[in-house]
Amino acid sequence: MGNLTNKQIHSHIHVSQKQASALSNTMGAGSGRSPCQIAQMALAAPDEKSHPLVLSFIRVSSAEEISRVCDASGIPVQAKNEAISEFGKGHHDRAATILVAAAEQKLRESTRELSGQAGGKRMLKSEHGTFMRAYDGEWKVDLMRGEPRDWEHWYVEDWGSKVVFKAIHSPGRFLRARADGKVDLVPTHPNECPASKWKPFKNSDGSWSFLSIHGTWLSGLGNDTVCCMWECKSSEKFTLPWW
């Protein structure tokens, strides 16, 4: 599937008035995200806020809507079915607990696997066959067509439950997600720049996806642009060849 604009994504996802009201009370009315997106983010990057967000969503949603969010978040089928079963019994808190626990386990497994398999000297190859390129002398990135060279070489560093992408150039510069959806390079150390840390997720096809601090996904588009998107689709999946 191709990527949608943020406006198209909002119109594509079903949002009931009851859902919007309930989740805006939890997330904040100015979040600018649909209830489905909020719940999906809570499951994609679980933390101490995830349970109340997922619970608020479950209380005003149908089983079909819960199933769609689970599928989009990569929740295992068994956990999804157990949660929907509890939802059908009216056990909303139990359903939320099952989903958040499954999301936390998925994140732990993805992080361990990335540390063991994908860390070190890597390239980021998009579904379009292009490679992410870090410019020398400019704070920009894009996608390069053809055989990769030095500028397409990255160091993938493990930072606990997150990873950092460090360009090959000196002095050091790191891949950063901006709140406006753009992606650039910064010289700031990751300890002082949370936006340069990404949560890794292993996809069922063996590719990897990376979630930013803003709840958006690292994306490599067909027009050679590197940016962040709200949904994780084909352009948000990367393979990581060694260099």
Side-chain angles (χ1 to χ4, degrees):
M1 295 178 65
N3 283 281
L4 303 176
T5 65
N6 286 353
K7 182 177 180 181
Q8 288 172 321
I9 290 171
H10 279 281
S11 63
H12 179 71
I13 298 176
H14 171 70
V15 181
S16 71
Q17 187 174 11
K18 183 170 63 172
Q19 284 180 324
S21 175
L23 271 89
S24 66
N25 292 335
T26 307
M27 189 75 176
S31 68
R33 296 163 186 157
S34 75
C36 290
Q37 287 175 334
I38 293 171
Q40 184 178 332
M41 285 172 53
L43 292 174
D47 57 22
E48 67 278 0
K49 299 178 182 178
S50 293
H51 187 276
L53 288 172
V54 174
L55 179 57
S56 294
F57 172 72
I58 287 175
R59 283 174 172 165
V60 295
S61 298
S62 66
E64 181 181 355
E65 289 165 334
I66 295 170
S67 178
R68 286 204 302 267
V69 167
C70 288
D71 291 341
S73 305
I75 298 297
V77 173
Q78 181 178 350
K80 178 183 75 171
N81 291 341
E82 289 178 2
I84 291 176
S85 175
E86 294 297 327
F87 166 78
K89 300 173 185 176
H91 302 161
H92 295 171
D93 187 82
R94 174 61 182 159
T97 298
I98 291 171
L99 294 182
V100 173
E104 291 172 340
Q105 178 63 23
K106 183 175 184 291
L107 179 59
R108 285 192 294 268
E109 292 174 353
S110 292
T111 303
R112 282 198 301 268
E113 188 166 355
L114 181 61
S115 299
Q117 294 185 8
K121 300 178 178 181
R122 292 283 182 163
M123 295 177 284
L124 285 87
K125 185 177 182 180
S126 76
E127 68 150 350
H128 311 289
T130 52
F131 294 86
M132 191 176 301
R133 169 172 55 187
Y135 281 71
D136 191 10
E138 298 181 69
W139 303 102
K140 63 178 284 187
V141 294
D142 64 7
L143 294 172
M144 190 278 300
R145 298 178 182 273
E147 289 298 318
R149 297 183 292 274
D150 287 351
W151 286 15
E152 291 73 59
H153 292 173
W154 297 82
Y155 296 99
V156 181
E157 300 179 355
D158 177 20
W159 282 68
S161 63
K162 298 182 180 180
V163 295
V164 165
F165 299 102
K166 183 179 180 181
I168 194 172
H169 308 301
S170 182
R173 59 199 70 180
F174 303 89
L175 191 71
R176 176 182 66 170
R178 291 173 29 174
D180 60 4
K182 295 181 180 179
V183 175
D184 60 9
L185 298 171
V186 291
T188 312
H189 192 275
N191 278 337
E192 301 173 358
C193 183
S196 65
K197 299 177 184 178
W198 305 78
K199 286 193 175 183
F201 293 89
K202 183 72 174 290
N203 299 306
S204 59
D205 60 4
S207 65
W208 291 88
S209 296
F210 302 95
L211 186 69
S212 78
I213 191 176
H214 309 294
T216 52
W217 298 90
L218 182 63
S219 179
L221 303 183
N223 63 359
D224 300 337
T225 298
V226 177
C227 61
C228 285
M229 299 292 287
W230 283 116
E231 291 191 320
C232 185
K233 296 186 177 181
S234 58
S235 287
E236 289 69 55
K237 296 180 179 181
F238 296 87
T239 54
L240 303 171
W242 293 95
W243 58 270

